[in-house]
Amino acid sequence: MKRYGQIIRVKSGQIEAYERIHEEVWPEVLATIEACNIRNYTIFRHGTLLFAYFEYIGDDFAADMARMAADPKTQEWWQHTDPMQEPLADRAEGEWWSVMREVFHTD
């Protein structure tokens, strides 16, 4: 299992809409997340910053993320959520959410 932390900004005028749509994530999107070996997926908000945490239990993260990106229902979901988000300027090439480096963990 590998832990991931990601960060992105939610547009200030979209906070309520972003939180509202996440109150009832579509079942097909949740099924795709699980099928792509993601567990314990959580999004936190602080002001306009969104922090995502999840655990990846698969063997090929790139392939699972490509499978998720190819899923039609997930693509439809992203058509709603992506316009509400603003990627950070210093994100790596090809990233939407900036991947954070794990600094500390304890069980």
Side-chain angles (χ1 to χ4, degrees), residues 86-107:
E86 183 180 313
L88 302 184
D90 64 350
R91 72 188 187 275
E93 186 175 335
E95 286 182 344
W96 184 252
W97 285 70
S98 297
V99 175
M100 301 168 66
R101 185 172 68 87
E102 184 175 319
V103 176
F104 174 79
H105 173 80
T106 185
D107 283 323

Side-chain angles (χ1 to χ4, degrees), residues 59-80:
D59 296 322
D60 190 341
F61 185 74
D64 281 331
M65 295 307 98
R67 181 168 53 153
M68 181 179 292
D71 176 66
K73 201 64 173 180
T74 300
Q75 290 175 5
E76 183 182 349
W77 174 261
W78 289 343
Q79 288 175 3
H80 293 278

Side-chain angles (χ1 to χ4, degrees), residues 4-80:
Y4 283 85
Q6 299 177 323
I7 191 166
I8 198 166
R9 193 172 305 281
V10 62
K11 294 177 181 175
S12 60
Q14 296 293 319
I15 292 171
E16 289 180 21
Y18 191 84
E19 290 183 357
R20 189 170 40 255
I21 195 171
H22 282 84
E23 289 173 3
E24 294 187 33
V25 178
W26 302 342
E28 300 91 344
V29 171
L30 295 174
T32 299
I33 289 170
E34 184 171 346
C36 291
N37 296 305
I38 292 177
R39 302 294 185 271
N40 297 320
Y41 187 42
T42 305
I43 298 175
F44 298 92
R45 182 178 66 81
H46 179 76
T48 59
L49 290 175
L50 298 173
F51 166 72
Y53 169 82
F54 60 89
E55 296 167 355
Y56 178 70
I57 62 166
D59 296 322
D60 190 341
F61 185 74
D64 281 331
M65 295 307 98
R67 181 168 53 153
M68 181 179 292
D71 176 66
K73 201 64 173 180
T74 300
Q75 290 175 5
E76 183 182 349
W77 174 261
W78 289 343
Q79 288 175 3
H80 293 278

